[in-house]
Amino acid sequence: MSEDICVPNTPDEKLPADELIWQTSHADMLKQSKLFRKRWYYLLQLSHRELERVVGDLLELMDPNNDIKIVSIIGMTGIGKTTLAKELSSLLDSHYGPTATPDQCPVLHVSAPANGEKSLSWRMLYRRILEAGAEPEIDHKRPSKVTEGELQGVRGDRQSVASLRGHVEKMLLRRKVRALIVDEALHLLRFSEYSAIMDTLKSLADIGDTKLVLIGTHQIADLMIEYGQVVRRSEIVHYQRYQVSSKNGKAMTPDETEYRAQLQRFQEQWPCRQRPNLTAIWKPLMLASLGSIGLTKSILLRLLTLQMDTTDERLDKAFFSKAIKGEVSLSILEKETVEGEAKLAGACYGDGQLSDEALMAVMRQAEHEVEHA
């Protein structure tokens, strides 16, 4: 590979902003340093059928004229939920942004804190929400009261949980927050009672037109399906993996076709001159990733790093055994995923059922009214 194509890394190399990196074309990216190309591929996000379905379902549920207040997006570990959260934030910003005034903040995105305490730190979560809303002087906020017609600050208790909660409520109303996205929702469950958590979250979602979007693993399913008050005004959107068929010699299923197509796209965007023929091993890769595009991306990033660590950036078959998780680790992930999928069966948005006879009756009546309108 020529020097003008593979620019070496330098110890003090500084990369441009991520936004500039991912806007670089594939052809121009190939002329950059290893560090640049690694980052470019890391930032590469490809849309696919399941991702588009999840986004579409969420946009339907975000309609302000329904009674849904809490939406949870649940998927297996490593499927790409954090990436999805960022994409949703951007999408909702563009959806609500044109009608928002400069003082409004229609979409807030925070991560639930994991701080090692023996109970959920509501204080930290509320602070993160206030910071995401660009609230000024958070450390100096304190409750107020009206005494003899005069607004006065209350001494002490500046940073109590109740005080921070009050400031969050006011901010959600004042900034007209339409979507509060809480990523890593699993951290809400640690060392806490589910009912108390959901009561608090539900009350947040009841403020103004705010809808709460929780994003987490299958472990948060119990949080969403055990309490009637929550179930009535909430929906679960299941971010599913692609299922691989165990039948050899059979025609490819729609899931397998979509997975293979995504591998082809990842292969075409490979940031080295020597590219692996990923589509030739689509089924082993699908098994090794449990059909998860997110886990597949993780495998490819490991493979890419190993390839780039060589002087001439050549692939070696030994790299694949290092890029793919071991059998024991994979079986743990698979067991957790299968159990989570079983728990969500029949509990998600779109799982409602009517008999074929009832549906035909509804459609016949609707068609009849259209014909006679």
Side-chain angles (χ1 to χ4, degrees), residues 73-130:
I73 300 176
I74 299 178
M76 64 174 285
T77 298
I79 201 168
K81 296 181 296 299
T82 296
T83 298
L84 171 64
K86 294 176 181 177
E87 182 166 334
L88 290 177
S89 296
S90 177
L91 184 64
L92 291 174
D93 267 328
S94 63
H95 183 70
Y96 296 123
T99 59
T101 59
D103 63 312
Q104 295 176 359
C105 188
V107 181
L108 297 182
H109 177 202
V110 300
S111 293
N115 56 1
E117 295 183 6
K118 293 185 178 180
S119 62
L120 171 64
S121 177
W122 289 106
R123 184 194 306 275
M124 186 176 294
L125 178 60
Y126 292 150
R127 283 185 61 88
R128 289 188 178 184
I129 295 172
L130 291 170

Side-chain angles (χ1 to χ4, degrees), residues 10 15 34 60 88 90 105 108 110 125 128 138 153 180 182 197 203 213 225 240 267 279 283 294 304 325 327 356 358:
T10 58
L15 292 177
K34 291 184 178 183
E60 292 172 3
L88 290 177
S90 177
C105 188
L108 297 182
V110 300
L125 178 60
R128 289 188 178 184
I138 296 174
L180 173 56
V182 180
I197 293 171
S203 64
V213 181
I225 63 181
Q240 301 181 54
Q267 177 179 315
T279 55
K283 193 158 189 175
L304 174 63
K325 283 190 174 296
E327 184 177 347
D356 290 342

Side-chain angles (χ1 to χ4, degrees), residues 59-231:
L59 289 179
E60 292 172 3
L61 293 169
M62 293 303 294
D63 189 294
N65 298 307
N66 61 38
D67 64 348
I68 301 301
K69 297 297 291 183
I70 302 177
V71 180
S72 59
I73 300 176
I74 299 178
M76 64 174 285
T77 298
I79 201 168
K81 296 181 296 299
T82 296
T83 298
L84 171 64
K86 294 176 181 177
E87 182 166 334
L88 290 177
S89 296
S90 177
L91 184 64
L92 291 174
D93 267 328
S94 63
H95 183 70
Y96 296 123
T99 59
T101 59
D103 63 312
Q104 295 176 359
C105 188
V107 181
L108 297 182
H109 177 202
V110 300
S111 293
N115 56 1
E117 295 183 6
K118 293 185 178 180
S119 62
L120 171 64
S121 177
W122 289 106
R123 184 194 306 275
M124 186 176 294
L125 178 60
Y126 292 150
R127 283 185 61 88
R128 289 188 178 184
I129 295 172
L130 291 170
E131 290 168 356
E135 278 293 289
E137 301 293 341
I138 296 174
D139 290 328
H140 299 287
K141 289 184 180 295
R142 56 177 174 168
S144 59
K145 64 179 181 179
V146 177
T147 303
E148 297 180 354
E150 182 180 347
L151 182 66
Q152 297 180 342
V154 178
R155 294 186 178 278
D157 195 30
R158 289 187 179 182
Q159 290 296 309
S160 70
V161 173
S163 173
L164 284 172
R165 166 59 185 248
H167 295 308
V168 167
E169 292 177 353
K170 292 176 183 177
M171 187 264 291
L172 293 178
L173 283 171
R174 186 176 67 254
R175 305 297 295 275
K176 296 190 181 302
V177 176
R178 302 288 295 277
L180 173 56
I181 301 173
V182 180
D183 196 7
E184 302 292 350
L186 172 63
H187 298 155
L188 297 175
L189 307 185
R190 294 180 176 177
F191 313 108
S192 299
E193 292 291 334
Y194 288 4
S195 57
I197 293 171
M198 290 313 298
D199 285 344
T200 302
L201 294 177
K202 179 178 176 296
S203 64
L204 270 181
D206 283 336
I207 298 171
D209 294 325
T210 301
K211 295 200 178 194
L212 186 62
V213 181
L214 303 177
I215 300 180
T217 63
H218 288 119
Q219 291 164 287
I220 72 168
D222 290 339
L223 191 67
M224 301 302 301
I225 63 181
E226 287 193 3
Y227 303 100
Q229 287 188 0
V230 173
V231 170

Side-chain angles (χ1 to χ4, degrees), residues 18 30 64 183 267 272 294 341:
D18 283 351
L30 287 175
D183 196 7
Q267 177 179 315
C272 298
E341 291 169 340

Side-chain angles (χ1 to χ4, degrees), residues 269-372:
Q269 299 300 317
W270 197 254
C272 298
R273 290 292 179 181
Q274 188 180 56
R275 295 183 296 185
N277 186 357
L278 300 176
T279 55
I281 55 170
W282 70 267
K283 193 158 189 175
L285 281 177
M286 194 171 185
L287 290 168
S289 65
L290 303 178
S292 161
I293 298 298
L295 284 180
T296 299
K297 179 73 176 294
S298 296
I299 291 172
L300 298 182
L301 288 172
R302 295 193 194 106
L303 181 63
L304 174 63
T305 298
L306 291 168
Q307 180 181 356
M308 282 192 168
D309 282 346
T310 64
T311 303
D312 53 0
E313 296 189 11
R314 290 193 175 276
L315 282 166
D316 188 297
K317 62 182 181 181
F319 294 165
F320 288 87
S321 62
K322 294 180 178 180
I324 294 172
K325 283 190 174 296
E327 184 177 347
V328 173
S329 297
L330 193 62
S331 65
I332 293 173
L333 281 177
E334 185 174 24
K335 180 176 182 294
E336 179 184 287
T337 300
V338 170
E339 290 175 352
E341 291 169 340
K343 188 176 294 185
L344 290 179
C348 301
Y349 184 56
D351 285 349
Q353 293 184 355
L354 289 174
S355 67
D356 290 342
E357 182 180 353
L359 288 172
M360 288 299 296
V362 170
M363 296 307 297
R364 281 196 300 268
Q365 179 64 28
E367 291 168 359
H368 174 77
E369 292 182 355
V370 169
E371 291 173 358
H372 293 82

